[in-house]
Amino acid sequence: MKCIVLAAGYATRLYPLTENFPKPLLEVGGKPILNWLLDDIDKMEDITGIVVVSNHKFRRHFSEWKERQSFKNPVTILDDGSVDNEHRLGAVKDILFALEGLDIREDVLVVAGDNILDFSFEGFVKYAKKKATSCVMCHEENDLKKQQRTAIITLDDQGLITSYEEKPQTPKGNLAVPPFYCYRAEDIVRIPEAMDAGCNADAPGSFAAWLSGKTSVHAWVMPGNRYDIGDMQSYEAAQKIFARD
């Protein structure tokens, strides 16, 4: 299984911090946000390689970061060619860019590079292997305004997704989907099909939403907390939570 890290965004809500520096490399608790994810993922026996998809503007920063790392798995930095927020490829196209550019034909773990979790991805990957389907993570979200800004799913009693809506004005449930996905090799190759059907390239969950309408996709309930570094307030909050003693 390869891990694809989506790190090609421009984080305009964090300007001026991220005007000339990538958000995933901002430090929280003494290390880059990206390392909070990869220090865990790199230890997992199922992972055979890590791919970080950057943009052209920030490629150099990721290359320099890579030189300072000592992960057991090989790390590849990809440049998707975009140079500003207005011309970004979008998350789904960046996944496809990695698949095609490196000829990846195995299962993949896709993660957004600007989040911190206080639990391991290992349980998620084991769950996906047990279900033998593509899977997403989910957590309870009871704030209507937040529900309307994210993806909301409903499940049956076996964890199978029965509905999947991006930013619904009238949510059918209260289970939100963060940007972490386990995709089977036979499912992830359907991205071009989804794009032809109108899949939103900019929303990372839009492919999972489309896929759930075509085949079985399960959801794993997160056992802990996720910290999404989206703006200055959430960044400062994460710094306080993960501050070193």
Side-chain angles (χ1 to χ4, degrees), residues 68 74 178 185:
R68 300 191 296 270

Side-chain angles (χ1 to χ4, degrees), residues 65-199:
W65 164 85
K66 175 185 172 181
E67 293 303 312
R68 300 191 296 270
Q69 307 309 307
S70 57
F71 296 118
K72 68 178 179 65
N73 284 294
V75 177
T76 302
I77 309 296
L78 289 185
D79 175 355
D80 76 358
S82 71
V83 294
D84 56 45
N85 193 55
E86 289 69 30
H87 297 91
R88 64 190 184 278
L89 265 65
V92 177
K93 285 187 177 179
D94 275 333
I95 297 170
L96 182 60
F97 177 73
L99 296 174
E100 294 181 340
L102 298 176
D103 194 27
I104 297 173
R105 303 187 184 189
E106 59 190 285
D107 296 349
V108 295
L109 170 65
V110 177
V111 304
D114 57 356
N115 289 254
I116 296 176
L117 306 182
D118 63 7
F119 59 92
S120 175
F121 279 93
E122 189 166 7
F124 181 43
V125 171
K126 287 183 177 179
Y127 177 83
K129 290 174 69 175
K130 178 181 178 181
K131 291 295 185 181
T133 69
S134 292
C135 293
V136 304
M137 284 194 195
C138 69
H139 63 87
E140 282 193 13
E141 177 53 73
N142 295 309
D143 184 308
L144 178 59
K145 290 184 178 180
K146 291 182 178 180
Q147 290 175 352
Q148 293 171 336
R149 295 196 300 266
T150 189
I152 297 293
I153 59 175
T154 57
L155 308 174
D156 69 9
D157 57 5
Q158 299 299 313
L160 180 71
I161 295 176
T162 53
S163 70
Y164 197 135
E165 295 179 288
E166 284 283 345
K167 300 181 179 180
Q169 288 305 298
T170 307
K172 295 178 181 178
N174 68 340
L175 293 176
V177 181
F180 309 116
Y181 318 92
C182 274
Y183 288 120
R184 296 186 305 167
E186 56 264 46
D187 290 337
I188 196 74
V189 295
R190 301 184 70 178
I191 286 181
E193 181 186 350
M195 297 295 296
D196 289 343
C199 177

Side-chain angles (χ1 to χ4, degrees), residues 7 17-26 32 34 52 54-69 77:
L17 276 182
T18 54
E19 192 166 4
N20 294 296
F21 193 77
K23 178 168 57 168
L25 296 186
L26 292 177
L34 184 55
V52 178
S54 174
N55 54 52
H56 186 68
K57 181 178 181 180
F58 294 143
R59 165 63 191 264
R60 176 179 60 83
H61 293 285
F62 284 103
S63 295
E64 292 174 353
W65 164 85
K66 175 185 172 181
E67 293 303 312
R68 300 191 296 270
Q69 307 309 307
I77 309 296

Side-chain angles (χ1 to χ4, degrees), residues 22-33:
K23 178 168 57 168
L25 296 186
L26 292 177
E27 288 204 356
V28 171
K31 64 181 180 181
I33 295 168

